[in-house]
Amino acid sequence: MQASCLAAAALSLIASRADAAIVDWQAELQRCRELRQNVVPLLQAGQGISAVGRSNRSVRRCIWIQRVAVRKKIPGAEAW
């Protein structure tokens, strides 16, 4: 009885983690496009993308999302 309860709990934990790992690529890419529009003035002012990325966690995430999306050939992905 105890083993079956433990197994059921482990399976539910694994299933919830698998659901959490799914990325909604189109939503992430849209967020990154909007963020890029906000970052463009900084880039035009002479800040490099790495300097902007170090200063903002969401920019770093978008850079990562864009790289992975380009590598996986997700529609709408574009390199920064």
Side-chain angles (χ1 to χ4, degrees), residues 31-68:
R31 267 188 231 111
C32 289
R33 280 187 213 102
E34 292 168 3
L35 182 66
R36 186 185 300 184
Q37 290 174 352
N38 295 334
V39 172
V40 166
L42 293 173
L43 295 174
Q44 290 174 343
Q47 296 290 324
I49 189 69
S50 60
V52 173
R54 281 194 298 268
S55 66
N56 191 339
R57 182 177 171 191
S58 57
V59 172
R60 288 193 313 262
R61 177 169 171 75
C62 278
I63 292 169
W64 176 79
I65 288 286
Q66 291 286 357
R67 285 181 184 158
V68 173

Side-chain angles (χ1 to χ4, degrees), residues 65-76:
I65 288 286
Q66 291 286 357
R67 285 181 184 158
V68 173
V70 167
R71 193 177 325 133
K72 290 185 176 212
K73 296 180 176 63
I74 304 293

